[in-house]
PDB file of all heavy atoms in Angstrom:
ATOM      1  N   GLU A 317     -17.690  26.174  51.475  1.00  0.00           N
ATOM      2  CA  GLU A 317     -16.678  25.137  51.704  1.00  0.00           C
ATOM      3  C   GLU A 317     -16.738  24.575  53.101  1.00  0.00           C
ATOM      4  O   GLU A 317     -16.573  23.405  53.283  1.00  0.00           O
ATOM      5  CB  GLU A 317     -15.230  25.754  51.395  1.00  0.00           C
ATOM      6  CG  GLU A 317     -14.994  26.019  49.976  1.00  0.00           C
ATOM      7  CD  GLU A 317     -13.713  26.773  49.739  1.00  0.00           C
ATOM      8  OE1 GLU A 317     -13.098  27.386  50.628  1.00  0.00           O
ATOM      9  OE2 GLU A 317     -13.225  26.805  48.640  1.00  0.00           O
ATOM     10  N   HIS A 318     -16.921  25.499  54.065  1.00  0.00           N
ATOM     11  CA  HIS A 318     -17.082  24.901  55.492  1.00  0.00           C
ATOM     12  C   HIS A 318     -18.258  24.021  55.642  1.00  0.00           C
ATOM     13  O   HIS A 318     -18.109  22.958  56.248  1.00  0.00           O
ATOM     14  CB  HIS A 318     -17.225  26.207  56.448  1.00  0.00           C
ATOM     15  CG  HIS A 318     -17.425  25.767  57.905  1.00  0.00           C
ATOM     16  ND1 HIS A 318     -18.734  25.582  58.507  1.00  0.00           N
ATOM     17  CD2 HIS A 318     -16.586  25.452  58.814  1.00  0.00           C
ATOM     18  CE1 HIS A 318     -18.486  25.117  59.663  1.00  0.00           C
ATOM     19  NE2 HIS A 318     -17.205  25.077  59.926  1.00  0.00           N
ATOM     20  N   LEU A 319     -19.426  24.280  55.017  1.00  0.00           N
ATOM     21  CA  LEU A 319     -20.601  23.562  54.993  1.00  0.00           C
ATOM     22  C   LEU A 319     -20.273  22.185  54.440  1.00  0.00           C
ATOM     23  O   LEU A 319     -20.648  21.109  55.067  1.00  0.00           O
ATOM     24  CB  LEU A 319     -21.729  24.219  54.274  1.00  0.00           C
ATOM     25  CG  LEU A 319     -23.184  23.565  54.217  1.00  0.00           C
ATOM     26  CD1 LEU A 319     -24.152  24.579  53.734  1.00  0.00           C
ATOM     27  CD2 LEU A 319     -23.139  22.241  53.384  1.00  0.00           C
ATOM     28  N   ILE A 320     -19.701  22.165  53.226  1.00  0.00           N
ATOM     29  CA  ILE A 320     -19.404  20.781  52.638  1.00  0.00           C
ATOM     30  C   ILE A 320     -18.514  19.873  53.406  1.00  0.00           C
ATOM     31  O   ILE A 320     -18.715  18.682  53.573  1.00  0.00           O
ATOM     32  CB  ILE A 320     -18.892  21.050  51.200  1.00  0.00           C
ATOM     33  CG1 ILE A 320     -20.054  21.718  50.300  1.00  0.00           C
ATOM     34  CG2 ILE A 320     -18.280  19.766  50.539  1.00  0.00           C
ATOM     35  CD1 ILE A 320     -19.614  22.171  48.982  1.00  0.00           C
ATOM     36  N   LEU A 321     -17.535  20.529  54.007  1.00  0.00           N
ATOM     37  CA  LEU A 321     -16.506  19.803  54.723  1.00  0.00           C
ATOM     38  C   LEU A 321     -16.991  19.389  56.134  1.00  0.00           C
ATOM     39  O   LEU A 321     -16.721  18.329  56.612  1.00  0.00           O
ATOM     40  CB  LEU A 321     -15.182  20.555  54.907  1.00  0.00           C
ATOM     41  CG  LEU A 321     -14.415  20.800  53.565  1.00  0.00           C
ATOM     42  CD1 LEU A 321     -13.234  21.827  53.926  1.00  0.00           C
ATOM     43  CD2 LEU A 321     -13.865  19.530  53.069  1.00  0.00           C
ATOM     44  N   THR A 322     -17.832  20.204  56.754  1.00  0.00           N
ATOM     45  CA  THR A 322     -18.326  19.921  58.087  1.00  0.00           C
ATOM     46  C   THR A 322     -19.463  19.042  58.149  1.00  0.00           C
ATOM     47  O   THR A 322     -19.715  18.309  59.070  1.00  0.00           O
ATOM     48  CB  THR A 322     -18.606  21.279  58.794  1.00  0.00           C
ATOM     49  OG1 THR A 322     -17.566  22.120  58.765  1.00  0.00           O
ATOM     50  CG2 THR A 322     -18.979  21.003  60.280  1.00  0.00           C
ATOM     51  N   HIS A 323     -20.360  19.126  57.109  1.00  0.00           N
ATOM     52  CA  HIS A 323     -21.614  18.378  57.079  1.00  0.00           C
ATOM     53  C   HIS A 323     -21.790  17.592  55.732  1.00  0.00           C
ATOM     54  O   HIS A 323     -22.641  17.834  54.959  1.00  0.00           O
ATOM     55  CB  HIS A 323     -22.783  19.302  57.206  1.00  0.00           C
ATOM     56  CG  HIS A 323     -22.757  20.228  58.512  1.00  0.00           C
ATOM     57  ND1 HIS A 323     -23.063  19.703  59.668  1.00  0.00           N
ATOM     58  CD2 HIS A 323     -22.355  21.452  58.684  1.00  0.00           C
ATOM     59  CE1 HIS A 323     -22.935  20.665  60.576  1.00  0.00           C
ATOM     60  NE2 HIS A 323     -22.466  21.701  59.931  1.00  0.00           N
ATOM     61  N   PRO A 324     -20.776  16.779  55.391  1.00  0.00           N
ATOM     62  CA  PRO A 324     -20.893  16.097  54.107  1.00  0.00           C
ATOM     63  C   PRO A 324     -22.067  15.239  53.914  1.00  0.00           C
ATOM     64  O   PRO A 324     -22.457  14.900  52.781  1.00  0.00           O
ATOM     65  CB  PRO A 324     -19.571  15.276  54.033  1.00  0.00           C
ATOM     66  CG  PRO A 324     -19.211  14.963  55.572  1.00  0.00           C
ATOM     67  CD  PRO A 324     -19.699  16.180  56.206  1.00  0.00           C
ATOM     68  N   GLU A 325     -22.824  14.842  55.013  1.00  0.00           N
ATOM     69  CA  GLU A 325     -23.934  13.943  54.911  1.00  0.00           C
ATOM     70  C   GLU A 325     -25.291  14.755  54.767  1.00  0.00           C
ATOM     71  O   GLU A 325     -26.256  14.186  54.529  1.00  0.00           O
ATOM     72  CB  GLU A 325     -23.994  13.044  56.192  1.00  0.00           C
ATOM     73  CG  GLU A 325     -24.473  13.786  57.410  1.00  0.00           C
ATOM     74  CD  GLU A 325     -23.543  14.892  58.026  1.00  0.00           C
ATOM     75  OE1 GLU A 325     -22.330  14.859  57.641  1.00  0.00           O
ATOM     76  OE2 GLU A 325     -23.978  15.650  58.837  1.00  0.00           O
ATOM     77  N   SER A 326     -25.133  16.078  54.811  1.00  0.00           N
ATOM     78  CA  SER A 326     -26.430  16.927  54.722  1.00  0.00           C
ATOM     79  C   SER A 326     -27.138  16.803  53.432  1.00  0.00           C
ATOM     80  O   SER A 326     -26.484  16.824  52.429  1.00  0.00           O
ATOM     81  CB  SER A 326     -26.027  18.276  55.125  1.00  0.00           C
ATOM     82  OG  SER A 326     -27.135  19.135  54.854  1.00  0.00           O
ATOM     83  N   ALA A 327     -28.397  16.935  53.432  1.00  0.00           N
ATOM     84  CA  ALA A 327     -29.224  16.943  52.198  1.00  0.00           C
ATOM     85  C   ALA A 327     -28.977  18.249  51.442  1.00  0.00           C
ATOM     86  O   ALA A 327     -29.327  18.252  50.266  1.00  0.00           O
ATOM     87  CB  ALA A 327     -30.668  16.856  52.598  1.00  0.00           C
ATOM     88  N   VAL A 328     -28.444  19.285  52.015  1.00  0.00           N
ATOM     89  CA  VAL A 328     -28.231  20.546  51.307  1.00  0.00           C
ATOM     90  C   VAL A 328     -26.891  20.553  50.597  1.00  0.00           C
ATOM     91  O   VAL A 328     -26.601  21.500  49.837  1.00  0.00           O
ATOM     92  CB  VAL A 328     -28.341  21.733  52.198  1.00  0.00           C
ATOM     93  CG1 VAL A 328     -29.774  21.836  52.855  1.00  0.00           C
ATOM     94  CG2 VAL A 328     -27.317  21.878  53.248  1.00  0.00           C
ATOM     95  N   VAL A 329     -26.049  19.522  50.736  1.00  0.00           N
ATOM     96  CA  VAL A 329     -24.745  19.572  50.037  1.00  0.00           C
ATOM     97  C   VAL A 329     -24.785  19.716  48.504  1.00  0.00           C
ATOM     98  O   VAL A 329     -24.052  20.457  47.996  1.00  0.00           O
ATOM     99  CB  VAL A 329     -23.896  18.233  50.468  1.00  0.00           C
ATOM    100  CG1 VAL A 329     -22.692  18.101  49.625  1.00  0.00           C
ATOM    101  CG2 VAL A 329     -23.488  18.592  52.001  1.00  0.00           C
ATOM    102  N   PRO A 330     -25.785  19.021  47.805  1.00  0.00           N
ATOM    103  CA  PRO A 330     -25.776  19.232  46.389  1.00  0.00           C
ATOM    104  C   PRO A 330     -26.118  20.674  46.048  1.00  0.00           C
ATOM    105  O   PRO A 330     -25.469  21.239  45.119  1.00  0.00           O
ATOM    106  CB  PRO A 330     -27.041  18.414  45.956  1.00  0.00           C
ATOM    107  CG  PRO A 330     -27.093  17.297  46.964  1.00  0.00           C
ATOM    108  CD  PRO A 330     -26.649  17.910  48.335  1.00  0.00           C
ATOM    109  N   GLN A 331     -26.958  21.399  46.763  1.00  0.00           N
ATOM    110  CA  GLN A 331     -27.247  22.839  46.522  1.00  0.00           C
ATOM    111  C   GLN A 331     -25.992  23.582  46.908  1.00  0.00           C
ATOM    112  O   GLN A 331     -25.594  24.562  46.158  1.00  0.00           O
ATOM    113  CB  GLN A 331     -28.291  23.322  47.465  1.00  0.00           C
ATOM    114  CG  GLN A 331     -29.677  22.699  47.020  1.00  0.00           C
ATOM    115  CD  GLN A 331     -30.683  23.107  48.147  1.00  0.00           C
ATOM    116  OE1 GLN A 331     -30.672  22.491  49.124  1.00  0.00           O
ATOM    117  NE2 GLN A 331     -31.495  24.210  47.829  1.00  0.00           N
ATOM    118  N   ALA A 332     -25.238  23.184  47.833  1.00  0.00           N
ATOM    119  CA  ALA A 332     -23.987  23.913  48.243  1.00  0.00           C
ATOM    120  C   ALA A 332     -22.969  23.740  47.223  1.00  0.00           C
ATOM    121  O   ALA A 332     -22.265  24.685  46.854  1.00  0.00           O
ATOM    122  CB  ALA A 332     -23.529  23.359  49.617  1.00  0.00           C
ATOM    123  N   ARG A 333     -22.942  22.524  46.533  1.00  0.00           N
ATOM    124  CA  ARG A 333     -21.894  22.247  45.528  1.00  0.00           C
ATOM    125  C   ARG A 333     -22.186  23.148  44.242  1.00  0.00           C
ATOM    126  O   ARG A 333     -21.325  23.626  43.706  1.00  0.00           O
ATOM    127  CB  ARG A 333     -21.872  20.745  45.094  1.00  0.00           C
ATOM    128  CG  ARG A 333     -21.236  19.977  46.267  1.00  0.00           C
ATOM    129  CD  ARG A 333     -20.926  18.547  45.706  1.00  0.00           C
ATOM    130  NE  ARG A 333     -20.514  17.692  46.817  1.00  0.00           N
ATOM    131  CZ  ARG A 333     -19.384  17.618  47.330  1.00  0.00           C
ATOM    132  NH1 ARG A 333     -18.460  18.506  46.829  1.00  0.00           N
ATOM    133  NH2 ARG A 333     -19.022  16.841  48.251  1.00  0.00           N
ATOM    134  N   ARG A 334     -23.532  23.192  43.944  1.00  0.00           N
ATOM    135  CA  ARG A 334     -23.869  24.103  42.833  1.00  0.00           C
ATOM    136  C   ARG A 334     -23.528  25.610  43.056  1.00  0.00           C
ATOM    137  O   ARG A 334     -23.017  26.305  42.238  1.00  0.00           O
ATOM    138  CB  ARG A 334     -25.420  24.019  42.565  1.00  0.00           C
ATOM    139  CG  ARG A 334     -25.758  22.743  41.815  1.00  0.00           C
ATOM    140  CD  ARG A 334     -27.227  22.786  41.352  1.00  0.00           C
ATOM    141  NE  ARG A 334     -28.318  22.854  42.365  1.00  0.00           N
ATOM    142  CZ  ARG A 334     -28.646  21.801  43.028  1.00  0.00           C
ATOM    143  NH1 ARG A 334     -28.168  20.609  42.826  1.00  0.00           N
ATOM    144  NH2 ARG A 334     -29.588  21.864  43.961  1.00  0.00           N
ATOM    145  N   LEU A 335     -23.737  26.058  44.357  1.00  0.00           N
ATOM    146  CA  LEU A 335     -23.356  27.382  44.654  1.00  0.00           C
ATOM    147  C   LEU A 335     -21.844  27.520  44.626  1.00  0.00           C
ATOM    148  O   LEU A 335     -21.305  28.565  44.117  1.00  0.00           O
ATOM    149  CB  LEU A 335     -23.932  27.795  45.974  1.00  0.00           C
ATOM    150  CG  LEU A 335     -23.423  29.089  46.547  1.00  0.00           C
ATOM    151  CD1 LEU A 335     -23.913  30.299  45.643  1.00  0.00           C
ATOM    152  CD2 LEU A 335     -24.109  29.395  47.987  1.00  0.00           C
ATOM    153  N   LEU A 336     -21.106  26.501  45.090  1.00  0.00           N
ATOM    154  CA  LEU A 336     -19.649  26.619  45.037  1.00  0.00           C
ATOM    155  C   LEU A 336     -19.169  26.684  43.610  1.00  0.00           C
ATOM    156  O   LEU A 336     -18.253  27.460  43.284  1.00  0.00           O
ATOM    157  CB  LEU A 336     -19.109  25.254  45.646  1.00  0.00           C
ATOM    158  CG  LEU A 336     -17.578  25.142  45.768  1.00  0.00           C
ATOM    159  CD1 LEU A 336     -16.982  26.272  46.559  1.00  0.00           C
ATOM    160  CD2 LEU A 336     -17.228  23.758  46.248  1.00  0.00           C
ATOM    161  N   ASP A 337     -19.800  25.965  42.723  1.00  0.00           N
ATOM    162  CA  ASP A 337     -19.394  25.932  41.343  1.00  0.00           C
ATOM    163  C   ASP A 337     -19.710  27.320  40.689  1.00  0.00           C
ATOM    164  O   ASP A 337     -18.907  27.975  39.914  1.00  0.00           O
ATOM    165  CB  ASP A 337     -20.161  24.955  40.439  1.00  0.00           C
ATOM    166  CG  ASP A 337     -19.627  23.493  40.718  1.00  0.00           C
ATOM    167  OD1 ASP A 337     -18.544  23.307  41.281  1.00  0.00           O
ATOM    168  OD2 ASP A 337     -20.419  22.588  40.408  1.00  0.00           O
ATOM    169  N   ARG A 338     -20.829  27.894  41.044  1.00  0.00           N
ATOM    170  CA  ARG A 338     -21.178  29.291  40.615  1.00  0.00           C
ATOM    171  C   ARG A 338     -20.180  30.269  41.062  1.00  0.00           C
ATOM    172  O   ARG A 338     -19.789  31.141  40.362  1.00  0.00           O
ATOM    173  CB  ARG A 338     -22.638  29.551  40.959  1.00  0.00           C
ATOM    174  CG  ARG A 338     -23.220  30.704  40.218  1.00  0.00           C
ATOM    175  CD  ARG A 338     -24.735  30.876  40.335  1.00  0.00           C
ATOM    176  NE  ARG A 338     -25.082  31.117  41.745  1.00  0.00           N
ATOM    177  CZ  ARG A 338     -25.970  30.351  42.393  1.00  0.00           C
ATOM    178  NH1 ARG A 338     -26.514  29.308  41.840  1.00  0.00           N
ATOM    179  NH2 ARG A 338     -26.329  30.640  43.671  1.00  0.00           N
ATOM    180  N   LEU A 339     -19.894  30.181  42.401  1.00  0.00           N
ATOM    181  CA  LEU A 339     -18.871  31.198  42.970  1.00  0.00           C
ATOM    182  C   LEU A 339     -17.504  31.001  42.353  1.00  0.00           C
ATOM    183  O   LEU A 339     -16.821  32.055  42.179  1.00  0.00           O
ATOM    184  CB  LEU A 339     -18.822  30.877  44.448  1.00  0.00           C
ATOM    185  CG  LEU A 339     -20.048  31.283  45.277  1.00  0.00           C
ATOM    186  CD1 LEU A 339     -19.950  30.766  46.747  1.00  0.00           C
ATOM    187  CD2 LEU A 339     -20.145  32.814  45.365  1.00  0.00           C
ATOM    188  N   ARG A 340     -17.164  29.828  41.951  1.00  0.00           N
ATOM    189  CA  ARG A 340     -15.876  29.638  41.307  1.00  0.00           C
ATOM    190  C   ARG A 340     -15.919  29.996  39.839  1.00  0.00           C
ATOM    191  O   ARG A 340     -14.882  29.939  39.137  1.00  0.00           O
ATOM    192  CB  ARG A 340     -15.362  28.193  41.464  1.00  0.00           C
ATOM    193  CG  ARG A 340     -15.033  27.850  42.860  1.00  0.00           C
ATOM    194  CD  ARG A 340     -14.561  26.400  42.971  1.00  0.00           C
ATOM    195  NE  ARG A 340     -14.075  26.115  44.301  1.00  0.00           N
ATOM    196  CZ  ARG A 340     -13.796  24.932  44.757  1.00  0.00           C
ATOM    197  NH1 ARG A 340     -14.116  23.816  43.991  1.00  0.00           N
ATOM    198  NH2 ARG A 340     -13.309  24.713  45.927  1.00  0.00           N
ATOM    199  N   GLY A 341     -17.006  30.211  39.300  1.00  0.00           N
ATOM    200  CA  GLY A 341     -17.176  30.591  37.864  1.00  0.00           C
ATOM    201  C   GLY A 341     -17.275  29.505  36.898  1.00  0.00           C
ATOM    202  O   GLY A 341     -17.048  29.724  35.694  1.00  0.00           O
TER     203      GLY A 341
END
């Protein structure tokens, strides 16, 4: 969550969103 909010322009955000979805089940 910190990554997505702090670095929304980063190229790793799509991977972070997938991990976020997995963590949320």
Side-chain angles (χ1 to χ4, degrees):
E317 288 173 343
H318 180 265
L319 185 164
I320 292 168
L321 292 173
T322 307
H323 305 281
E325 75 292 342
S326 172
V328 301
V329 167
Q331 293 170 280
R333 289 190 189 284
R334 281 191 296 277
L335 178 55
L336 181 65
D337 289 342
R338 196 167 62 237
L339 289 165
R340 289 181 174 165

